[in-house]
Amino acid sequence: MPLNLLAAALIVAAIPTLAAPVAIPDAPPPGPAQPIGVPTLTTQTLGNGLRIVVAPRPGLPLVTAQVLLLAGREADPADKTGLAAMTTTLLTRGARRGDQPVDAATLARQAEALGGTLDTATGWRSSLVGMTVTTPRLPAALALMADVVRQPLLAADELDRERARALDGLRVALDSPGSVAGLAAGRAWWGDSAYGRTATPASLGRLTADDLRAFHAAQWRPDRVVLVLAGDVDPAGARALAQQAFGDWARPASPPPVSQGSAAAPTLPPVLWVDMPGSGQSAVVVSAPAEPQGHADEVVGDVAQTLLGGGYSARLNQVIRIERGLSYGAFGGSEAHPAGGRWNGQAQTKHASAAEVAQLMRDAVARLTREPAPAAELAARQASLVGSFARRLETTAGLAGLVTGEVAAGRDPAALKGRVDAVRAVTPEQVRDYAARWWTPASLRVVVAGDWAAAGDGVKALGSAGEVRRLPKSALDLDRPDLGVR
């Protein structure tokens, strides 16, 4: 017998006779909710004004350290959007250590020798440098981070290199309907407020090394910095380490600068279509007001937003993807600032169904304002929020991120202990009342980015001629509050 036939015969002979199907029992019911352990946080202040927040987690010799500056994108000058983010990025691209300048590659090697990496991020009211290291290496890591944030080189050649990379990213983003719709929706919603501005090729091109150095000198000062330590460290040890690394950082005599964006000032019609001929799909963004930072509605708002767009089982995805198959995914998100907030739902779809997707989003918002959510549906979304919170607590980096988020939002991080109970206490009626209070139909704004001609008559479903404005992609100007709409 040929070898291949012999092998096949042996395989068949080895297959056992199939047994009769066995009934699979139902999954057991879920057990009782387990307690979620949030460590007791402590806050201390050095003589120069630098604050230290400690989230102790003994037992595993690992610590995440984050140096947080309470200033970010809102501090950008109007004509130099991207300055704060560029400054933060270049902190790790060269610094003075002792009496010697050290380049980016050397800083990276020094961080790796400690078992970590120097990470940076910039957001609203926050710019940070962070590292995760084993406990014995924490003093050296803090010394490295102190040099990076206090004595960066901010060299012109590193600026040129990072600018070129940022411009490449922007070019890619501005060819994507999803990115274009998201950027245009933010600008259209906030108007001339700092919260609507985004880095553009023009604004990035105006940045100079002197701009970065002036921004660093004005903003990076100890009385605007918070050191967050999460992991295997106690408050007394944390203070001693902070004093060693940052204690001699002099606080300027002048008061710290204050930057804050103004309230939303939309000047565009209810519907804006950014025409992108030849694009593969259309992206749809629906924006609605949300509570400002620090408002009493924050927790209820989180639950309402999660119910509507926070995950696969949320209402937007249920209606648009699961029931109708109009998109691979429809989700929502929000931002909160001292001057106001914004919720937005977003999805990508075929050009011809863009208007239908926009209307389904608006209908989902309207339904939430009229009807309390079924208790089981609300409980599932609350469980999703609690689960996400609990997963972040599992790592020192996640725990540190929760703390820095609270600090940047101006909240007492100790309130994290009550977060789970507050989420679970939200009722269906509270969610309905929140939606009715914030998400009135007249306040909704729609931005679509896609091929206008390919959408055909579907465009008419978005609204009347006076409510829908077409803007050619070639005329889109993100540097202007009106986006270039004439």
Side-chain angles (χ1 to χ4, degrees):
M1 179 182 295
L3 289 177
N4 59 340
L5 294 180
L6 176 61
L10 291 173
I11 291 172
V12 171
I15 299 176
T17 303
L18 292 176
V22 177
I24 299 175
D26 293 336
Q34 298 299 308
I36 296 173
V38 179
T40 299
L41 307 181
T42 62
T43 300
Q44 307 170 73
T45 305
L46 297 183
N48 58 7
L50 184 141
R51 280 188 286 161
I52 313 146
V53 181
V54 181
R57 177 167 286 164
L60 181 67
L62 202 66
V63 181
T64 294
Q66 294 184 343
V67 180
L68 171 69
L69 171 70
L70 298 176
R73 294 172 56 189
E74 77 292 339
D76 286 343
D79 62 338
K80 294 185 178 180
T81 305
L83 176 59
M86 187 66 75
T87 303
T88 304
T89 298
L90 261 65
L91 293 179
T92 62
R93 300 295 195 267
R96 295 193 69 82
R97 304 216 66 197
D99 295 328
Q100 299 296 322
V102 175
D103 63 15
T106 303
L107 288 177
R109 285 194 296 269
Q110 291 177 350
E112 289 174 358
L114 298 174
T117 58
L118 283 166
D119 302 314
T120 62
T122 305
W124 299 112
R125 298 165 297 282
S126 65
S127 303
L128 66 84
V129 176
M131 282 188 74
T132 298
V133 295
T134 56
T135 307
R137 291 175 171 170
L138 180 58
L142 289 177
L144 174 60
M145 296 168 68
D147 287 340
V148 161
V149 302
R150 295 176 59 182
Q151 303 182 89
L153 299 181
L154 303 175
D157 59 340
E158 290 291 347
L159 170 60
D160 291 340
R161 188 176 295 113
E162 188 58 35
R163 183 185 1 243
R165 186 164 64 173
L167 289 172
D168 283 342
L170 271 176
R171 279 189 283 270
V172 173
L174 293 175
D175 282 334
S176 164
S179 298
V180 170
L183 293 171
R187 189 59 149 157
W189 181 265
W190 292 103
D192 200 30
S193 170
Y195 303 130
R197 300 188 200 122
T198 186
T200 65
S203 70
L204 291 175
R206 285 190 283 266
L207 299 182
T208 67
D210 285 341
D211 292 329
L212 272 64
R213 293 176 189 130
F215 183 90
H216 178 268
Q219 300 286 349
W220 280 89
R221 41 188 288 164
D223 51 346
R224 298 205 76 186
V225 166
V226 181
L227 174 63
V228 175
L229 297 173
D232 185 29
V233 62
D234 59 66
R239 183 181 182 92
L241 290 171
Q243 181 66 39
Q244 180 181 353
F246 299 97
D248 63 346
W249 190 2
R251 172 167 50 185
S254 60
V258 177
S259 302
Q260 181 174 310
S262 56
T267 58
L268 298 177
V271 181
L272 174 68
W273 187 299
V274 181
D275 189 7
M276 301 179 66
S279 60
Q281 287 189 320
S282 287
V284 181
V285 176
V286 174
S287 297
E291 74 282 357
Q293 178 182 295
H295 196 279
D297 279 349
E298 277 183 334
V299 174
V300 177
D302 284 349
V303 175
Q305 292 155 16
T306 301
L307 181 71
L308 193 55
Y312 185 85
S313 300
R315 288 190 176 184
L316 292 185
N317 201 57
Q318 186 77 27
V319 170
I320 294 170
R321 173 180 174 166
I322 298 173
E323 295 179 7
R324 290 171 175 80
L326 295 174
S327 175
Y328 283 114
F331 304 99
S334 65
E335 55 181 316
H337 307 293
R342 177 176 74 109
W343 173 86
N344 62 276
Q346 53 192 353
Q348 287 198 185
T349 186
K350 296 177 291 186
H351 302 302
S353 56
E356 181 182 0
V357 167
Q359 189 56 47
L360 288 169
M361 287 186 180
R362 291 187 289 200
D363 290 345
V365 173
R367 179 188 167 202
L368 201 60
T369 68
R370 298 190 304 265
E371 307 167 5
E377 180 189 16
L378 182 62
R381 305 318 301 149
Q382 288 168 308
S384 174
L385 263 180
V386 171
S388 176
F389 178 80
R391 285 191 295 276
R392 294 188 68 184
L393 290 171
E394 290 297 311
T395 66
T396 58
L399 175 57
L402 287 170
V403 173
T404 55
E406 294 296 292
V407 174
R411 295 188 290 261
D412 181 357
L416 288 171
K417 271 189 170 294
R419 173 71 175 174
V420 169
D421 290 341
V423 167
R424 287 174 173 161
V426 174
T427 67
E429 291 74 23
Q430 286 177 309
V431 171
R432 178 203 57 200
D433 294 345
Y434 170 92
R437 183 160 56 251
W438 292 101
W439 297 339
T440 59
S443 68
L444 303 185
R445 292 291 183 273
V446 177
V447 173
V448 180
D451 193 324
W452 173 279
D457 291 339
V459 173
K460 297 177 182 178
L462 284 169
S464 66
E467 294 176 321
V468 181
R469 186 72 60 86
R470 171 182 169 270
L471 175 66
K473 162 69 182 329
S474 59
L476 176 66
D477 187 351
L478 292 168
D479 286 303
R480 293 178 48 165
D482 62 3
L483 296 172
V485 175
R486 302 296 195 276

